[in-house]
Amino acid sequence: MSSESSPSSQSSQSSPSSTPSARRNPTRTGVRRPLLALGAAALLVPVAACGGSPGDSGSGSGDQRLRAVMAFPPAQAMSPYGDDAVTLSRLSVIEGLTRIDEDGAAEPALATKWRRDGDKGWEFTLRDARFQDGGAVDAEAVVRSLAAAQAASPRPRVLSDVRLTVEAGGERTVRVTTDEADPLLPQRLANPSLAILSGAAYEKGAKGTQVNPAGHATGPYTLTKVNGAVSATLERNDTYWGGKAKAPGVDVKFVADGTARANALRTGSADIAEYVPVAQVSLLEEKQIHEVPTARTNTLYLNTGRGAFADPAIRAAARAAIDSKALVDGVYEGRADTARGLLGPGVPWAADAREAPEGRAEPAGRAEVAKTKQIVLATYTNRPELPEVASAVQQQLEARGFTVKQYVRDYAQMEADALAGRYDAFIQARNTLLDTADPVSYLGSDFTCEGSFNISQLCDQGVDEAVAKAAGADGLTARHTAEMRAEAKILGADAAVPLVHERFVQGFDSGKVAGVALDPMERRLITADTRLR
């Protein structure tokens, strides 16, 4: 089993233009640079911190370690302030004050209860819990962790549209105040980037504060070792407030190649393989296939800031070229849904509230399209269907008159350039509920002028106003109506073309493995209940 991404046969070996977007946004760097300079050595913690040694079965009900292959290698040295936080959450290493239930509502985690105190304030009561290094989870620790996330540069996406002030109200009480009224604060605090860590996790250096979650979090598993982008070791946290995990530990390999992940499951060298490629599903036994509905939309982001797609009519021509059903049938073998908007079936209320796209330009004709320069269409290999999608989209665009060059790499090698606007078009599989379990944070981060994940480089006053109205809406019906109005504005600008709404397959033998979380929000996979039978 390869532990690294295999080069895609469709990958271009040349780099895209390094010319940044011509439109500058002084409040957004356009690049989510790694916040930490932590190597593997910096992420090592003594095994004694988690009460056992590798292979020690401990005293829980399980006596065998789990073996998992994960799709996304660490891109930011396991920083809690980037996408690595989701990996830490999926491995049950970190926790926040709250967590999200199956309906997208907040439920207790490190906080046992909360109440609203005025328009902008919330009070949270902490449970009796301890960090993996032995310290108590108290108000001081919560204030420190949330303040550190607020001060991070760049800030986590979940804080891109809000500023928090956090104060201790007593040893077990914390008051959180927002700059504007935020009805979603309990959901926001469930985001993995707002995990609560002990004081030992934070170390000031010449390049600012470095954050090391290994051994300093609160989850049922302690991260004890990270071997670069290759592997990681987890040990059971025997002091976990929710009870000991049922497996003594987890041995993780990061395998960007989807076929290699499926092979690991098929050959028995892994117990759990996340994100099994559709093309590999037919090669697995039925009991190894676990299809999960998802809020993830596979989207073609068009660069509105430079190049051919700065012209709305050319963007409209690209949108008109896309055949979603052909992608569902040809690439996903029916294991996806045709595009209905930015929000798909994984957001069940969206269909009834959807509005028609507003203000779309007329598509440019074939002759006008043919005059444009070659466009660079980029995507990544970590989700194995995406290179196939890119090839199909390339053919659809070329049939409309575009000249297209593909650029395909591992995601970690591409993210900075995508956010800097160095591709003409970028295909991304985006979880629309990932940040707050409500689409407003996704709409804000991906499509507003100051959005921290604005791959399309969109800066439109009407979109900004619509997203701001949705963010301030109180009450479920009003909020959903405002969010779909914002969707209509974004689709009207043709900054993003929805391709398909994904389902995904998690691989494990249900006869041998129990307790795997099949989470549409994609925040949980291995839990304290996951074990070998």
Side-chain angles (χ1 to χ4, degrees):
M1 176 178 62
S2 172
S3 60
E4 298 180 358
S5 171
S6 299
S8 168
S9 61
Q10 298 147 331
S11 298
S12 167
Q13 297 302 314
S14 58
S15 298
S17 170
S18 60
T19 304
S21 171
R23 186 188 70 239
R24 299 182 60 194
N25 183 342
T27 63
R28 187 180 75 244
T29 64
V31 181
R32 282 199 301 159
R33 295 181 296 273
L35 299 175
L36 309 179
L38 297 180
L43 281 170
L44 300 179
V45 297
V47 171
C50 56
S53 59
D56 181 8
S57 64
S59 57
S61 60
D63 60 359
Q64 291 180 279
R65 296 176 65 83
L66 295 165
R67 300 164 301 165
V69 286
M70 309 291 284
F72 290 89
Q76 296 168 310
M78 287 297 189
S79 166
Y81 302 143
D83 287 338
D84 290 354
V86 178
T87 298
L88 292 169
S89 176
R90 289 171 69 73
L91 293 172
S92 288
V93 171
I94 58 175
E95 298 176 303
L97 292 181
T98 60
R99 61 167 62 107
I100 297 297
D101 69 13
E102 294 179 356
D103 297 321
E107 63 180 15
L110 292 178
T112 58
K113 60 182 179 179
W114 51 90
R115 66 180 182 87
R116 199 161 188 174
D117 184 13
D119 289 341
K120 301 179 183 180
W122 295 77
E123 184 180 273
F124 293 82
T125 300
L126 306 181
R127 75 168 65 250
D128 184 9
R130 306 199 75 79
F131 291 106
Q132 294 157 351
D133 55 19
V137 177
D138 55 17
E140 180 183 358
V142 173
V143 170
R144 179 178 50 242
S145 291
L146 296 182
Q150 182 70 59
S153 180
R155 289 201 304 270
R157 284 195 313 264
V158 69
L159 296 179
S160 63
D161 59 345
V162 69
R163 181 167 290 277
L164 308 180
T165 301
V166 190
E167 301 172 308
E171 185 178 355
R172 312 214 65 77
T173 304
V174 174
R175 179 178 171 81
V176 182
T177 305
T178 56
D179 54 344
E180 301 290 341
D182 184 14
L184 285 178
L185 185 68
Q187 286 98 321
R188 192 182 299 275
L189 292 176
N191 188 278
S193 287
L194 302 184
I196 307 303
L197 305 175
S198 72
Y202 304 93
E203 182 177 347
K204 292 185 178 179
K207 296 183 179 180
T209 300
Q210 296 181 339
V211 187
N212 178 3
H216 307 308
T218 62
Y221 287 106
T222 301
L223 177 67
T224 61
K225 183 178 180 180
V226 175
N227 180 19
V230 177
S231 64
T233 302
L234 311 180
E235 303 295 344
R236 178 165 52 206
N237 171 19
D238 286 341
T239 63
Y240 181 54
W241 60 265
K244 293 181 183 180
K246 294 180 179 178
V250 187
D251 298 313
V252 180
K253 288 191 176 181
F254 299 107
V255 182
D257 183 85
T259 299
R261 291 198 302 277
N263 284 340
L265 181 66
R266 188 163 50 244
T267 60
S269 60
D271 303 308
I272 301 168
E274 68 169 358
Y275 302 125
V276 174
V278 169
Q280 296 293 314
V281 169
S282 63
L283 302 178
L284 298 177
E285 297 180 46
E286 190 64 32
K287 62 183 179 179
Q288 295 176 313
I289 302 167
H290 304 272
E291 190 168 304
V292 186
T294 174
R296 186 173 293 277
T297 298
N298 184 322
T299 302
L300 175 67
Y301 290 82
L302 301 177
N303 190 336
T304 66
R306 58 174 284 272
F309 294 127
D311 183 342
I314 300 297
R315 296 199 299 272
R319 179 249 306 160
I322 299 302
D323 182 346
S324 175
K325 188 175 186 304
L327 298 175
V328 169
D329 294 342
V331 177
Y332 288 89
E333 300 178 11
R335 293 182 183 268
D337 297 292
T338 55
R340 305 176 190 182
L342 297 173
L343 309 179
V347 189
W349 54 262
D352 292 337
R354 177 157 286 123
E355 299 184 10
E358 183 177 323
R360 274 180 168 168
E362 286 295 318
R366 182 181 176 86
E368 188 176 352
V369 167
K371 294 177 183 178
T372 62
K373 295 181 179 179
Q374 180 186 70
I375 63 170
V376 175
L377 171 65
T379 195
Y380 46 96
T381 58
N382 306 75
R383 294 191 179 275
E385 292 83 15
L386 293 190
E388 293 185 62
V389 171
S391 292
V393 168
Q394 177 177 357
Q395 294 174 7
Q396 292 177 2
L397 292 174
E398 288 176 341
R400 187 80 184 192
F402 288 97
T403 301
V404 182
K405 176 182 178 180
Q406 269 195 68
Y407 185 77
V408 181
R409 288 288 186 274
D410 179 270
Y411 181 78
Q413 299 173 306
M414 306 183 74
E415 182 183 73
D417 282 340
L419 291 170
R422 291 174 182 149
Y423 306 120
D424 297 297
F426 191 79
I427 296 175
Q428 170 103 354
R430 191 79 163 97
N431 189 327
T432 60
L433 300 182
L434 187 60
D435 290 332
T436 61
D438 181 281
V440 74
S441 59
Y442 150 72
L443 298 174
S445 67
D446 285 32
F447 301 110
T448 61
C449 295
E450 296 185 5
S452 61
F453 206 70
N454 192 342
I455 290 176
S456 65
Q457 310 295 299
L458 181 65
C459 189
D460 180 287
Q461 182 179 354
V463 169
D464 277 23
E465 290 175 352
V467 173
K469 186 172 182 179
D474 207 350
L476 203 59
T477 300
R479 190 172 193 84
H480 290 171
T481 298
E483 286 166 342
M484 299 314 293
R485 191 157 296 143
E487 183 199 62
K489 290 273 190 184
I490 294 163
L491 293 178
D494 282 322
V497 182
L499 300 175
V500 302
H501 302 299
E502 289 193 353
R503 307 170 203 157
F504 58 78
V505 175
Q506 306 293 31
F508 61 92
D509 186 335
S510 56
K512 298 179 180 179
V513 183
V516 177
L518 301 177
D519 179 16
M521 301 289 179
E522 301 184 67
R523 294 184 180 185
R524 300 190 306 144
L525 180 69
I526 294 174
T527 73
D529 290 328
T530 310
R531 65 195 183 280
L532 296 179
R533 296 183 188 274

